[in-house]
Amino acid sequence: MAARTSSRKYQDVLCFVFLILICLCKGQDSPLSSMEKKEQEVIYSVIEGLVGKWWNGSYLYPDPCGWTPIQGVSCEQYDDGFWYVTAVNLGQVFDNSLICNHDAQFPEQLFNLKHLKVFSLSSCFLSPNKYPVKLPISNWEKLSNSLESLTLRSNPGLVGTIPSTIGCLRKLQSLVLLENGLTGELPSSIGNLVKLRQLVLAGNDLVGEVPVNYGRFSELLIFDASRNNLSGALPSTMKFLNSLLKLDLSNNMLRGELPRKLGRLKNLTLLDVSHNKLRGGLAGTLEELVSLKDLVLSNNPIGGDLLGIRWENFQNIETLDLSNIGLGGSVPESMSQMKKLRFLDLSKNNISGSLSKSLENLPCLRALHVNGNNLTGILDFSERFYSKIGRRFAAWNNANLCYVTKPTTQMPYGVKPCVQEITISEGVPTVKINEGYYEDSFVVASLGSSSYVFYELWWVFIVNGILNVFLWNMSF
């Protein structure tokens, strides 16, 4: 019986080993490890050109799409049964990414990866003087049927112009050329990439105008061309970017007015055109941007005032920065109806009049900047408001603005306290709050020193009593 059991176990072990051998043998011809030799050689060449000659792909990664995958390289199996490279992400992208060599070059072999969908290089070309690299002018058409995302980020050594041939990448959905050393004008051919959902060209040295045909991006969600040297006016065709969520053209040299039809962008949540040379006042069409969360127009000579816009329509806005845009007039009461507003900056303008106490009713407000204007009158916000905002309430450099203090009130930084002027008229003391300091007053007691006010009032009554007694004795 024991011998029969032992034999049975022996047979089971042999069957198990036999099955493993079958799986291993099949694995040699299985699609998991099946990759065209040419495709393998191309991906090795691409990585070696970026990482360095020391990198030996055939030794380190004999099966790039199978048992020994390369960091940053992804593959997919196609109908012919072979696996092909579909994504290459090199440089400082992920924690375990392959890092580019100091003398890395743009890999021309890349265009032979016929199923490539995603290509990303980060911090690969770092020296514009010793090792400048330019984008290839030709061969982009080889990727026209596959490439969906092209990202070149933080490469100051990537110089020269954006090749117009990039416009042939008809399947491209994301084009990110961020913080490189690119120069020249925006290619109008990019307007042919009608499937784009993200276009980021920020942080380069691009010049010229935004091409008119960039209004053809009906599916575009993000357009960021900030921190360049773009000039001219914003094209009116931008009104056709119906899907746009974020538009950032800040830190350029754009001129003219905000397009009147900008209000058609009903889905826009961020509009940042700060640090340009825009004029023409605040367009009334802005109030039609009902989805806006962040509106930043600061540092433009826009001019005008705040009264022409119904601010109560901005029920989703959280950040409103209108600093240093040449505004005049007063602050309208309707600004206190933006219930989600967290940050309001009206600093460095020519705004006059008083600041409404109703602003403290904004439930989400955490920062209020009105410094550097011509505001007058008395700040009479509650103690709760001052304690909630603290130093984030900026109201200095308003010469005729003062605040009323209370025993526990936190003083608004840089604003003088309103003062009391106490005079004696026919033996009856009168107290009056004035806006500012009056050194020629008979007795001046600052409310900022509230602990002394009671003492000083008693002193006035004592002096008044002594004078009355003295005058009464003199009459006899």
Side-chain angles (χ1 to χ4, degrees):
M1 183 70 179
R4 187 181 302 172
T5 303
S6 176
S7 176
R8 179 69 178 173
K9 288 183 177 179
Y10 182 72
Q11 291 176 1
D12 290 341
V13 170
L14 285 177
C15 289
F16 181 73
V17 171
F18 182 72
L19 288 172
I20 290 176
L21 289 174
I22 290 176
C23 291
L24 289 174
C25 290
K26 284 187 176 180
Q28 292 177 358
D29 299 320
S30 69
L32 182 63
S33 60
S34 184
M35 186 180 188
E36 285 186 339
K37 186 172 181 60
K38 183 180 179 181
E39 182 86 354
Q40 202 172 49
E41 291 173 351
V42 169
I43 188 60
Y44 290 159
S45 176
V46 167
I47 297 176
E48 187 176 294
L50 291 166
V51 175
K53 297 291 185 181
W54 61 267
W55 191 85
N56 189 339
S58 59
Y59 175 75
L60 296 170
Y61 306 99
D63 188 7
C65 289
W67 300 109
T68 55
I70 303 173
Q71 300 98 315
V73 176
S74 300
C75 303
E76 290 181 18
Q77 187 183 26
Y78 281 76
D79 294 338
D80 59 2
F82 290 103
W83 287 71
Y84 294 91
V85 174
T86 55
V88 177
N89 298 282
L90 298 179
Q92 298 175 4
V93 182
F94 307 110
D95 290 339
N96 62 342
S97 295
L98 292 170
I99 305 302
C100 295
N101 201 32
H102 66 278
D103 59 350
Q105 294 295 314
F106 194 91
E108 294 280 352
Q109 285 286 339
L110 180 81
F111 299 113
N112 294 322
L113 296 173
K114 58 185 177 182
H115 293 290
L116 188 66
K117 294 181 180 180
V118 177
F119 181 58
S120 173
L121 294 180
S122 178
S123 302
C124 280
F125 314 121
L126 300 178
S127 178
N129 297 319
K130 291 186 66 175
Y131 303 104
V133 174
K134 292 186 177 183
L135 287 173
I137 297 177
S138 58
N139 290 323
W140 290 99
E141 69 278 359
K142 293 183 178 181
L143 300 176
S144 62
N145 293 321
S146 63
L147 198 63
E148 297 176 359
S149 175
L150 175 60
T151 300
L152 303 171
R153 180 192 300 265
S154 302
N155 296 289
L158 185 62
V159 299
T161 60
I162 302 173
S164 61
T165 46
I166 282 183
C168 72
L169 299 173
R170 59 186 181 183
K171 288 196 172 182
L172 204 64
Q173 297 180 26
S174 175
L175 177 58
V176 177
L177 305 176
L178 175 64
E179 294 176 349
N180 302 298
L182 297 171
T183 57
E185 298 186 354
L186 298 178
S188 60
S189 62
I190 289 180
N192 298 328
L193 306 176
V194 293
K195 291 186 178 293
L196 274 183
R197 298 171 67 84
Q198 179 177 225
L199 177 58
V200 178
L201 306 169
N204 289 283
D205 196 18
L206 301 171
V207 299
E209 300 184 3
V210 178
V212 173
N213 67 343
Y214 279 28
R216 299 175 61 186
F217 303 131
S218 60
E219 299 180 24
L220 194 66
L221 302 176
I222 298 173
F223 182 22
D224 184 355
S226 61
R227 292 177 289 136
N228 282 290
N229 291 305
L230 300 177
S231 57
L234 288 174
S236 59
T237 52
M238 301 197 78
K239 66 186 178 184
F240 297 120
L241 303 179
N242 299 320
S243 301
L244 201 63
L245 298 177
K246 297 183 178 181
L247 175 59
D248 189 349
L249 297 171
S250 61
N251 291 277
N252 280 290
M253 296 187 293
L254 298 172
R255 297 179 178 272
E257 300 182 7
L258 290 172
R260 294 287 170 179
K261 299 296 178 65
L262 210 60
R264 291 188 180 184
L265 305 182
K266 302 298 183 183
N267 297 310
L268 199 65
T269 61
L270 178 144
L271 174 59
D272 188 348
V273 290
S274 60
H275 294 273
N276 279 287
K277 299 180 180 180
L278 299 173
R279 297 180 178 272
L282 296 177
T285 188
L286 287 177
E287 66 190 44
E288 299 175 30
L289 299 174
V290 293
S291 298
L292 270 185
K293 291 185 177 180
D294 302 284
L295 176 59
V296 185
L297 307 178
S298 57
N299 296 288
N300 280 286
I302 291 177
D305 56 45
L306 297 167
L307 303 176
I309 292 182
R310 293 174 294 180
W311 297 101
E312 63 272 15
N313 290 348
F314 290 88
Q315 289 303 302
N316 292 306
I317 201 158
E318 298 176 5
T319 300
L320 180 57
D321 188 350
L322 305 177
S323 60
N324 194 28
I325 64 172
L327 288 173
S330 59
V331 180
E333 284 283 335
S334 59
M335 298 198 85
S336 63
Q337 299 181 39
M338 297 181 284
K339 298 303 181 184
K340 293 185 180 180
L341 191 63
R342 300 173 61 86
F343 177 87
L344 175 59
D345 194 343
L346 302 174
S347 63
K348 299 178 183 178
N349 284 294
N350 296 307
I351 299 173
S352 56
S354 59
L355 199 60
S356 174
K357 189 176 185 293
S358 61
L359 288 173
E360 75 173 54
N361 297 327
L362 291 169
C364 301
L365 192 64
R366 292 295 180 271
L368 174 59
H369 297 175
V370 292
N371 52 292
N373 280 287
N374 295 316
L375 294 172
T376 60
I378 300 171
L379 293 176
D380 193 20
F381 293 114
S382 67
E383 296 178 42
R384 181 189 62 82
F385 175 80
Y386 285 126
S387 61
K388 179 180 76 170
I389 285 197
R391 285 295 182 95
R392 295 185 300 276
F393 176 45
W396 56 83
N397 289 343
N398 286 282
N400 295 311
L401 191 66
C402 67
Y403 71 98
V404 174
T405 62
K406 297 171 185 176
T408 59
T409 296
Q410 180 175 342
M411 296 185 298
Y413 179 77
V415 180
K416 61 192 176 186
C418 302
V419 299
Q420 289 182 334
E421 180 181 311
I422 306 174
T423 61
I424 298 176
S425 177
E426 299 180 357
V428 180
T430 60
V431 179
K432 181 173 67 175
I433 294 180
N434 290 313
E435 303 167 12
Y437 293 99
Y438 294 86
E439 296 180 356
D440 56 346
S441 302
F442 180 79
V443 177
V444 178
S446 171
L447 283 177
S449 304
S450 55
S451 59
Y452 296 101
V453 171
F454 184 77
Y455 171 78
E456 291 176 358
L457 286 174
W458 270 107
W459 177 251
V460 171
F461 283 120
I462 291 171
V463 172
N464 187 38
I466 292 173
L467 287 173
N468 286 334
V469 171
F470 178 76
L471 292 173
W472 184 79
N473 288 332
M474 289 291 293
S475 64
F476 291 95

